[in-house]
């Protein structure tokens, strides 16, 4: 079975229902994982998505904040949902497809503005969240699994517009990158996007603060697709749909895609 998967921080699924439908119609991924849905599950506009063939959904939501959802054309059953770091946030949900592949959809805390847990509680929460992800993967030993989402960390030097200038900026600090690598290593996850696109600057997020985001191009690769080693070689076709960042009233994130032949 071959299927294409996309991950996208939508920054309100109700506000941007039209953009989700546009992506579903024009790109038609078999599985679409959304983060920052900012909606209780019962208020997610599922009917419009079902009309486009996305008849399966699993989600965790809360009013106005966070929220993760997986929409699928392929039969899918809920697998798990974890509240890492005990924050009471809707930041993770996992579903298993009919071919046995489990898809984890994550929205890692952004971490605030100051990269110091002593003065910024949110930064500490981010590090604790990643630590509990690490411990979970170490205990679970994931197999036949894909992990996607807004992980809110751009780990590589070429995942940001200026490595030197962002070393002290939340999302690219050495301690965050170390925590992300520890979580990745614990599950033996493979970075599919960089497996397919090993070299060069690559971004999935551009700030709303930029007057002309496209011309300035000061981006970061915050959105990721990983897979366990037993299926990582089945992945191909990775890409970032940069054009979506320029759609009307867009999210500040662009969708990231990969295809798996399993």
């Amino acid at each position: 079975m071959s299927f294409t998967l996309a991950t996208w921080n939508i920054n309100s699924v109700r506000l941007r229902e039209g953009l989700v439908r546009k992506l579903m119609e024009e790109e038609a991924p078999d599985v679409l994982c959304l983060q920052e849905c900012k909606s209780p599950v019962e208020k997610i506009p599922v009917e419009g998505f079902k009309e486009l063939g996305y008849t399966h959904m699993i989600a965790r939501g809360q009013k106005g904040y966070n929220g993760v959802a997986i929409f699928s054309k392929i039969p899918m059953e809920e697998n798990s949902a974890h509240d890492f770091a005990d924050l009471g946030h809707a930041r993770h949900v996992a579903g298993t497809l009919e071919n046995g592949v489990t898809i984890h959809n994550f929205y890692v805390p952004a971490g605030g503005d100051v990269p110091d847990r002593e003065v910024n509680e949110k930064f500490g929460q981010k590090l604790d969240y990643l630590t509990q992800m690490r411990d979970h993967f170490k205990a679970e030993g994931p197999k036949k699994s894909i992990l996607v989402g807004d992980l809110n960390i751009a780990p590589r030097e070429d995942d940001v517009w200026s490595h030197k200038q962002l070393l002290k900026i939340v999302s690219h600090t050495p301690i965050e990158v170390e925590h992300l690598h520890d979580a990745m290593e614990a599950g033996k996850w493979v970075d599919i996007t960089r497996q397919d696109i090993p070299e060069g600057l690559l971004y999935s997020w551009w700030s709303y603060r930029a007057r002309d985001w496209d011309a300035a191009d000061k981006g970061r690769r915050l959105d990721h697709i990983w897979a366990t080693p037993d299926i990582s070689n089945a992945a191909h076709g990775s890409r970032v749909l940069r054009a979506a960042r320029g759609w009307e009233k867009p999210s500040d994130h662009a969708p990231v895609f990969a295809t798996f032949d399993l």
Side-chain angles (χ1 to χ4, degrees), residues 203-208 213 217-219 240 242 245 252 254:
Y203 315 137
S204 64
W205 173 90
W206 295 262
S207 175
Y208 284 132
W213 70 272
D217 203 23
K218 292 184 175 181
V240 177
R242 181 186 174 111
R245 179 61 180 84
D252 46 359

Side-chain angles (χ1 to χ4, degrees), residues 104-170:
H104 292 270
N105 185 15
F106 274 95
Y107 178 42
V108 171
D113 294 325
V114 181
D116 182 346
R117 69 181 305 150
E118 298 302 319
V119 298
N120 175 17
E121 180 184 25
K122 290 182 178 180
F123 193 72
Q125 291 174 346
K126 182 176 191 174
L127 298 182
D128 292 345
Y129 193 96
L130 291 161
T131 296
Q132 290 198 15
M133 284 175 63
R134 178 202 68 189
D135 293 346
H136 175 75
F137 296 144
K138 191 175 291 185
E140 183 189 60
K143 304 292 183 186
K144 204 174 181 183
S145 297
I146 300 168
L147 184 157
V148 309
D150 177 3
L151 305 186
N152 263 312
I153 297 172
R156 293 178 24 154
E157 291 188 18
D158 51 3
D159 287 339
V160 295
W161 66 272
S162 173
H163 169 62
K164 185 176 180 180
Q165 290 177 257
L166 268 69
L167 275 172
K168 295 182 179 181
I169 302 299
V170 174

Side-chain angles (χ1 to χ4, degrees), residues 20-41:
V20 177
R21 288 175 61 96
K22 179 179 172 70
L23 187 85
M24 289 175 166
E25 290 179 300
E26 295 183 0
E27 302 294 332
D30 299 288
V31 181
L32 175 59
C33 299
L34 299 181
Q35 304 86 38
E36 207 172 355
C37 294
K38 294 183 176 179
S39 174
V41 173

Side-chain angles (χ1 to χ4, degrees), residues 218-233:
K218 292 184 175 181
R220 306 176 203 174
R221 186 173 72 102
L222 304 180
D223 305 272
H224 299 263
I225 297 177
W226 299 353
T228 48
D230 52 352
I231 63 171
S232 60
N233 287 340

Side-chain angles (χ1 to χ4, degrees), residues 175-218:
I175 191 170
E176 291 171 273
V177 172
E178 180 183 354
H179 275 66
L180 187 70
H181 281 157
D182 287 348
M184 178 180 256
E185 180 58 31
K188 295 181 168 51
W189 298 101
V190 176
D191 182 345
I192 295 302
T193 309
R194 282 305 191 179
Q195 177 178 269
D196 281 351
I197 311 170
E199 303 295 336
L201 295 171
L202 189 64
Y203 315 137
S204 64
W205 173 90
W206 295 262
S207 175
Y208 284 132
R209 297 174 185 174
R211 185 172 297 176
D212 187 340
W213 70 272
D214 194 27
D217 203 23
K218 292 184 175 181

Side-chain angles (χ1 to χ4, degrees), residues 10-19 37-38 45 249-250:
I10 191 59
N11 192 13
S12 179
V13 67
R14 288 188 285 170
L15 183 65
R16 296 186 170 83
E17 177 187 357
L19 298 189
C37 294
K38 294 183 176 179
K249 296 181 180 178

